[in-house]
Amino acid sequence: MKTNLQIIADHYAASARQDVVGMMLDVSPDVAWTEMAGFPCAGTWTGVDQVIDKVFKVLGSEWEAYTFSLDQLIDGGDQIVGVGSYQGTYRKTGKAMQARVTHVWRLAGGKIVGFEQFTDTLLVAQAMRG
């Protein structure tokens, strides 16, 4: 069985490959996924389908070359913290953005059961303003 740290490392590796199926492999069917208020996909989404539809499809359609670069993983047992940066260009304005971000992951029984994002939403909003 994979460790919680390995589950999150695998999620980020799949993200780097733009492999949404791989990203969702260890996500619980009833995951609570929270994108920060002020972020384009703000809200708490429940379940894999909502996460894909309300987060990853939106980011993929509205942003060009949207990526997350992982700098550090912090192993807290059943909570893992990922620290890194977002970058991309908002298609409607052509403005680029780069913002630091922290992800807090909760795991239980070998599955991701919770996700919460913390980022500088002002930098994202500035790129989205026309």
Side-chain angles (χ1 to χ4, degrees):
M1 183 176 195
K2 294 192 286 188
T3 66
N4 289 341
L5 187 67
Q6 188 60 55
I7 289 169
I8 300 306
D10 288 352
H11 173 90
Y12 285 130
S15 175
R17 296 189 307 270
Q18 297 182 349
D19 173 9
V20 174
V21 172
M23 290 169 65
M24 298 293 111
L25 191 61
D26 294 311
V27 175
S28 171
D30 59 351
V31 67
W33 189 286
T34 302
E35 298 283 318
M36 191 165 175
F39 195 72
C41 308
T44 297
W45 310 108
T46 304
V48 172
D49 290 340
Q50 277 196 355
V51 172
I52 291 170
D53 291 343
K54 304 292 186 180
V55 179
F56 296 113
K57 284 185 179 178
V58 171
L59 294 173
S61 67
E62 293 183 0
W63 294 83
E64 183 178 334
Y66 186 89
T67 59
F68 169 78
S69 301
L70 179 66
D71 294 331
Q72 182 180 13
L73 276 179
I74 302 165
D75 188 349
D78 63 353
Q79 293 192 41
I80 306 295
V81 176
V83 179
S85 297
Y86 290 140
Q87 62 183 12
T89 301
Y90 193 60
R91 292 183 194 279
K92 290 180 183 176
T93 63
K95 291 182 181 179
M97 156 298 284
Q98 182 171 0
R100 295 292 289 158
V101 62
T102 298
H103 297 151
V104 179
W105 302 89
R106 288 184 304 105
L107 296 99
K111 292 289 184 183
I112 297 166
V113 297
F115 168 89
E116 189 169 3
Q117 168 207 61
F118 300 90
T119 191
D120 187 340
T121 58
L122 177 61
L123 295 175
V124 179
Q126 287 173 335
M128 295 175 70
R129 286 191 199 125

mmCIF file of all heavy atoms in Angstrom, residues 15 25-26 38 42 47 69 73-74 80 85 90 94-95 104 107 110 117 124 129:
data_model
loop_
_atom_site.group_PDB
_atom_site.id
_atom_site.type_symbol
_atom_site.label_atom_id
_atom_site.label_comp_id
_atom_site.label_asym_id
_atom_site.label_seq_id
_atom_site.Cartn_x
_atom_site.Cartn_y
_atom_site.Cartn_z
ATOM 1 N N SER A 15 -0.449 15.425 -12.510
ATOM 2 C CA SER A 15 -0.772 16.801 -12.878
ATOM 3 C C SER A 15 0.272 17.364 -13.844
ATOM 4 O O SER A 15 -0.077 18.006 -14.836
ATOM 5 C CB SER A 15 -0.852 17.666 -11.620
ATOM 6 O OG SER A 15 -1.046 19.027 -11.948
ATOM 7 N N LEU A 25 -6.932 9.126 -9.501
ATOM 8 C CA LEU A 25 -6.812 7.707 -9.184
ATOM 9 C C LEU A 25 -7.013 7.393 -7.705
ATOM 10 O O LEU A 25 -7.706 6.434 -7.366
ATOM 11 C CB LEU A 25 -5.439 7.195 -9.649
ATOM 12 C CG LEU A 25 -5.221 5.704 -9.651
ATOM 13 C CD1 LEU A 25 -6.201 5.022 -10.592
ATOM 14 C CD2 LEU A 25 -3.796 5.394 -10.063
ATOM 15 N N ASP A 26 -6.440 8.181 -6.820
ATOM 16 C CA ASP A 26 -6.521 7.922 -5.385
ATOM 17 C C ASP A 26 -7.437 8.911 -4.656
ATOM 18 O O ASP A 26 -7.316 9.104 -3.450
ATOM 19 C CB ASP A 26 -5.116 7.970 -4.764
ATOM 20 C CG ASP A 26 -4.246 6.833 -5.265
ATOM 21 O OD1 ASP A 26 -4.712 5.675 -5.240
ATOM 22 O OD2 ASP A 26 -3.104 7.101 -5.686
ATOM 23 N N GLY A 38 -12.422 33.780 -4.095
ATOM 24 C CA GLY A 38 -11.690 34.728 -4.917
ATOM 25 C C GLY A 38 -10.951 34.068 -6.065
ATOM 26 O O GLY A 38 -10.476 34.734 -6.980
ATOM 27 N N ALA A 42 -13.752 28.960 -7.240
ATOM 28 C CA ALA A 42 -14.038 29.020 -5.803
ATOM 29 C C ALA A 42 -15.245 28.183 -5.421
ATOM 30 O O ALA A 42 -16.235 28.125 -6.144
ATOM 31 C CB ALA A 42 -14.252 30.467 -5.376
ATOM 32 N N GLY A 47 -17.016 15.121 -4.664
ATOM 33 C CA GLY A 47 -16.929 14.017 -5.615
ATOM 34 C C GLY A 47 -16.019 14.323 -6.788
ATOM 35 O O GLY A 47 -15.781 15.471 -7.154
ATOM 36 N N SER A 69 3.646 24.130 -10.209
ATOM 37 C CA SER A 69 5.010 23.640 -9.998
ATOM 38 C C SER A 69 5.204 23.375 -8.517
ATOM 39 O O SER A 69 5.074 24.294 -7.698
ATOM 40 C CB SER A 69 6.036 24.676 -10.469
ATOM 41 O OG SER A 69 5.854 24.952 -11.832
ATOM 42 N N LEU A 73 6.947 19.073 -0.460
ATOM 43 C CA LEU A 73 5.888 18.292 0.168
ATOM 44 C C LEU A 73 6.227 18.128 1.638
ATOM 45 O O LEU A 73 7.363 17.776 1.973
ATOM 46 C CB LEU A 73 5.775 16.897 -0.461
ATOM 47 C CG LEU A 73 4.948 16.762 -1.724
ATOM 48 C CD1 LEU A 73 4.976 15.315 -2.220
ATOM 49 C CD2 LEU A 73 3.520 17.212 -1.498
ATOM 50 N N ILE A 74 5.254 18.378 2.491
ATOM 51 C CA ILE A 74 5.450 18.266 3.931
ATOM 52 C C ILE A 74 4.558 17.129 4.428
ATOM 53 O O ILE A 74 3.334 17.181 4.256
ATOM 54 C CB ILE A 74 5.107 19.589 4.636
ATOM 55 C CG1 ILE A 74 5.984 20.714 4.078
ATOM 56 C CG2 ILE A 74 5.264 19.449 6.151
ATOM 57 C CD1 ILE A 74 5.503 22.108 4.416
ATOM 58 N N ILE A 80 -1.109 16.092 4.310
ATOM 59 C CA ILE A 80 0.085 16.389 3.532
ATOM 60 C C ILE A 80 -0.065 17.809 2.995
ATOM 61 O O ILE A 80 -1.151 18.207 2.548
ATOM 62 C CB ILE A 80 0.241 15.406 2.343
ATOM 63 C CG1 ILE A 80 0.196 13.948 2.806
ATOM 64 C CG2 ILE A 80 1.496 15.712 1.542
ATOM 65 C CD1 ILE A 80 1.324 13.512 3.690
ATOM 66 N N SER A 85 3.836 26.852 -6.937
ATOM 67 C CA SER A 85 3.392 28.045 -7.667
ATOM 68 C C SER A 85 2.468 27.658 -8.803
ATOM 69 O O SER A 85 2.656 26.623 -9.454
ATOM 70 C CB SER A 85 4.593 28.789 -8.270
ATOM 71 O OG SER A 85 5.443 29.253 -7.265
ATOM 72 N N TYR A 90 -4.362 34.031 -18.791
ATOM 73 C CA TYR A 90 -5.807 34.039 -18.907
ATOM 74 C C TYR A 90 -6.171 34.335 -20.360
ATOM 75 O O TYR A 90 -5.769 35.360 -20.920
ATOM 76 C CB TYR A 90 -6.417 35.077 -17.958
ATOM 77 C CG TYR A 90 -7.895 34.944 -17.796
ATOM 78 C CD1 TYR A 90 -8.456 33.771 -17.286
ATOM 79 C CD2 TYR A 90 -8.748 35.980 -18.139
ATOM 80 C CE1 TYR A 90 -9.825 33.649 -17.135
ATOM 81 C CE2 TYR A 90 -10.117 35.865 -17.985
ATOM 82 C CZ TYR A 90 -10.652 34.694 -17.484
ATOM 83 O OH TYR A 90 -12.011 34.570 -17.326
ATOM 84 N N GLY A 94 -5.227 37.759 -22.137
ATOM 85 C CA GLY A 94 -3.857 37.567 -22.584
ATOM 86 C C GLY A 94 -2.825 37.892 -21.511
ATOM 87 O O GLY A 94 -1.630 37.949 -21.784
ATOM 88 N N LYS A 95 -3.293 38.105 -20.263
ATOM 89 C CA LYS A 95 -2.382 38.457 -19.174
ATOM 90 C C LYS A 95 -1.886 37.203 -18.457
ATOM 91 O O LYS A 95 -2.663 36.309 -18.134
ATOM 92 C CB LYS A 95 -3.075 39.367 -18.160
ATOM 93 C CG LYS A 95 -3.381 40.753 -18.684
ATOM 94 C CD LYS A 95 -4.015 41.579 -17.582
ATOM 95 C CE LYS A 95 -4.365 42.978 -18.060
ATOM 96 N NZ LYS A 95 -5.009 43.744 -16.980
ATOM 97 N N VAL A 104 -3.486 21.837 1.116
ATOM 98 C CA VAL A 104 -3.566 20.975 2.293
ATOM 99 C C VAL A 104 -4.457 19.789 1.927
ATOM 100 O O VAL A 104 -5.622 19.967 1.553
ATOM 101 C CB VAL A 104 -4.135 21.719 3.517
ATOM 102 C CG1 VAL A 104 -4.233 20.779 4.719
ATOM 103 C CG2 VAL A 104 -3.267 22.929 3.857
ATOM 104 N N LEU A 107 -6.094 12.665 4.068
ATOM 105 C CA LEU A 107 -6.205 11.306 3.560
ATOM 106 C C LEU A 107 -6.729 10.368 4.639
ATOM 107 O O LEU A 107 -6.466 10.573 5.825
ATOM 108 C CB LEU A 107 -4.845 10.809 3.059
ATOM 109 C CG LEU A 107 -4.312 11.597 1.854
ATOM 110 C CD1 LEU A 107 -3.314 12.633 2.276
ATOM 111 C CD2 LEU A 107 -3.746 10.670 0.818
ATOM 112 N N GLY A 110 -6.090 5.282 2.580
ATOM 113 C CA GLY A 110 -5.410 5.256 1.286
ATOM 114 C C GLY A 110 -6.078 6.081 0.207
ATOM 115 O O GLY A 110 -5.754 5.931 -0.978
ATOM 116 N N GLN A 117 -7.175 24.712 -0.825
ATOM 117 C CA GLN A 117 -6.194 25.541 -1.520
ATOM 118 C C GLN A 117 -6.077 26.901 -0.838
ATOM 119 O O GLN A 117 -7.087 27.478 -0.439
ATOM 120 C CB GLN A 117 -6.678 25.733 -2.963
ATOM 121 C CG GLN A 117 -5.942 26.791 -3.751
ATOM 122 C CD GLN A 117 -6.826 27.364 -4.834
ATOM 123 O OE1 GLN A 117 -7.866 27.937 -4.558
ATOM 124 N NE2 GLN A 117 -6.413 27.207 -6.059
ATOM 125 N N VAL A 124 -4.212 36.395 -9.310
ATOM 126 C CA VAL A 124 -5.042 35.702 -10.298
ATOM 127 C C VAL A 124 -6.066 36.677 -10.853
ATOM 128 O O VAL A 124 -6.256 36.770 -12.071
ATOM 129 C CB VAL A 124 -5.704 34.456 -9.668
ATOM 130 C CG1 VAL A 124 -6.585 33.754 -10.690
ATOM 131 C CG2 VAL A 124 -4.657 33.503 -9.110
ATOM 132 N N ARG A 129 -8.536 40.551 -15.185
ATOM 133 C CA ARG A 129 -9.155 41.854 -15.500
ATOM 134 C C ARG A 129 -8.746 42.330 -16.877
ATOM 135 O O ARG A 129 -7.578 42.325 -17.233
ATOM 136 C CB ARG A 129 -8.720 42.892 -14.468
ATOM 137 C CG ARG A 129 -9.391 42.719 -13.156
ATOM 138 C CD ARG A 129 -9.136 43.920 -12.261
ATOM 139 N NE ARG A 129 -9.409 43.529 -10.888
ATOM 140 C CZ ARG A 129 -8.555 43.655 -9.890
ATOM 141 N NH1 ARG A 129 -7.370 44.196 -10.091
ATOM 142 N NH2 ARG A 129 -8.882 43.256 -8.689
#
